[in-house]
Amino acid sequence: VQLVESGGGSVQAGGSLRLSCAASGYSFSSRCMGWFRQAPGEEREGVAIIDGDGNPAYAGSVKGRFTISRDNSKNTLYLQMNSLKPEDTAMYSCAARFAKYCSDTAQQGQGFGVWGQGTQVTVSS
């Protein structure tokens, strides 16, 4: 079972990026998945999660700017990031849970059994 992220890069403030997380070895189409980020010297932060019914939840810092979605036919999770800010700079990783619904502490990264290696997002001012 593997998760592979792509789509990171460098962008100026106000720009957009779309991250992808391709899953292989297991179908996560009806499972809880999420995006997390970690900046140097900072703790990992939950960005967005989505449960098996497609219900999303976002961190307050990204609400209204980021959108999590999934394409079940491609077994792929996405994160559309708009109006990017320098404080969004971090390594972004996706994670998947072998269950339909996310745990109560999913935003803290708990309950996820598979993690990707991450893709770097750098936003310059």
Side-chain angles (χ1 to χ4, degrees):
V1 180
Q2 190 176 18
L3 301 176
V4 178
E5 301 94 337
S6 62
S10 297
V11 64
Q12 289 192 324
S16 299
L17 285 173
R18 188 176 83 152
L19 305 184
S20 299
C21 170
S24 61
Y26 186 85
S27 175
F28 289 105
S29 60
S30 297
R31 300 292 184 263
C32 169
M33 298 186 74
W35 286 99
F36 299 82
R37 67 186 182 187
Q38 188 167 20
E42 303 287 334
E43 292 189 356
R44 183 179 60 199
E45 175 190 19
V47 176
I49 59 174
I50 185 168
D51 69 15
D53 287 333
N55 299 308
Y58 298 94
S61 59
V62 306
K63 194 173 294 184
R65 299 188 298 123
F66 291 11
T67 302
I68 188 171
S69 64
R70 66 203 307 166
D71 185 334
N72 291 334
S73 67
K74 296 180 179 180
N75 208 16
T76 299
L77 181 73
Y78 301 100
L79 184 68
Q80 178 67 44
M81 306 186 293
N82 299 327
S83 302
L84 282 161
K85 304 175 181 180
E87 51 263 43
D88 294 318
T89 295
M91 180 69 76
Y92 284 71
S93 300
C94 63
R97 174 176 164 86
F98 292 102
K100 183 176 184 179
Y101 297 110
C102 303
S103 69
D104 292 340
T105 53
Q107 287 279 26
Q108 287 76 50
Q110 296 184 10
F112 292 93
V114 185
W115 291 81
Q117 291 298 307
T119 185
Q120 178 67 37
V121 172
T122 303
V123 185
S124 58
S125 58

